[in-house]
Amino acid sequence: MTAARDLIEIGLVLYPGVQEAAVLGLTDLFMLANRLAVERSPEAARLRVSHWQLDAGNTVIRTFDSDPGADNEPAMVILPPTLLQPIPREAAAPYAGWLRDRHAAGATLGSVCAGAFVLAETGLLSGRAATTHWAYRDALALRFPDILLDADRLVIDDGDIITAGGYMAWTDLGLKLVDRVLGSTVMMDTARFMLVDPPGREQRFYSPFAPRLTHAGALAWNEL
């Protein structure tokens, strides 16, 4: 068993409607990065990947652990995207207290796409810069008007909180976290192995291609 001090745990939250492909993709990305780091240096820090969700008693528990038995808590917690409508406030509320506790204990919190709605329920995004998928921009701004929302950005790294926009932006967020904890060389090795671009894209290059799905927007498109 790896000593707890050698492990950096990244927890993925499986809230209702979470995109399972992103959860599995992030799990694979972090486990691949861990393997590549160890191949480069057996003494390198190790990544522990875990999944967390509510049990029948409304307690957030580990449901998957890449290094079972290790005695540590997540250093980073990620809210993956969803392919559904943003999670209702009442469904996100049970996760908020657990996320606040993790943050107070020193964990970095991150979200991808509509995962920002779960993260925002904690109140920790109040007065801070954040991003989400361009299609959810107006809904997030309406529900949480005190967030400094910039949906043109694909990733906003604010130190202890990192947000990413777009369904596939989990690759950008994942690689940014690998860069942070295992270094740029391992991050580039991981990106090269997965054939994905390192972080650096911007969401504003994608959002203009889709109309806003409002009544006025629908009229405008019908007139074309």
Side-chain angles (χ1 to χ4, degrees):
M1 182 185 302
T2 307
R5 67 179 182 275
D6 298 326
L7 287 174
I8 301 170
E9 182 176 351
I10 302 180
L12 308 176
V13 181
L14 280 64
Y15 60 88
V18 72
Q19 184 186 4
E20 294 184 12
V23 173
L24 297 177
L26 282 164
T27 301
D28 287 345
L29 186 153
F30 293 135
M31 293 181 72
L32 170 64
N34 179 68
R35 192 192 82 200
L36 295 174
V38 172
E39 286 176 356
R40 277 190 170 273
S41 173
E43 304 303 317
R46 311 290 178 88
L47 286 184
R48 177 189 189 187
V49 187
S50 55
H51 298 173
W52 298 76
Q53 59 189 127
L54 287 178
D55 66 5
N58 234 28
T59 299
V60 181
I61 62 170
R62 280 190 188 92
T63 56
F64 167 80
D65 192 343
S66 67
D67 202 323
D71 183 19
N72 63 326
E73 293 293 328
M76 301 174 179
V77 178
I78 301 175
L79 288 311
T82 177
L83 291 173
L84 306 177
Q85 290 299 310
I87 189 172
R89 300 196 74 158
E90 60 271 18
Y95 297 92
W98 182 79
L99 290 167
R100 284 193 296 267
D101 288 345
R102 300 284 69 73
H103 184 260
T108 296
L109 303 184
S111 67
V112 183
C113 188
F117 287 81
V118 186
L119 180 55
E121 202 62 42
T122 65
L124 295 171
L125 290 182
S126 179
R128 301 185 65 165
T131 189
T132 188
H133 192 291
W134 55 264
Y136 298 132
R137 171 183 51 207
D138 294 344
L140 186 65
L142 182 63
R143 190 185 296 185
F144 302 100
D146 51 352
I147 296 176
L148 304 179
L149 188 58
D150 185 357
D152 286 340
R153 304 275 299 280
L154 193 63
V155 177
I156 294 180
D157 185 345
D158 202 23
D160 59 322
I161 294 180
I162 306 177
T163 54
Y167 293 124
M168 294 302 297
W170 61 262
T171 62
D172 301 86
L173 180 65
L175 289 172
K176 182 167 281 290
L177 294 182
V178 169
D179 189 12
R180 178 182 289 194
V181 299
L182 297 179
S184 58
T185 299
V186 174
M187 184 273 288
M188 291 299 297
D189 285 348
T190 305
R192 187 178 300 113
F193 193 96
M194 296 183 68
L195 297 180
V196 296
D197 293 331
R201 299 177 294 151
E202 292 295 346
Q203 190 168 200
R204 61 192 175 89
F205 297 121
Y206 301 88
S207 58
F209 291 98
R212 294 194 181 188
L213 301 179
T214 61
H215 180 64
L219 289 176
W221 277 90
N222 287 336
E223 292 170 356
L224 292 178

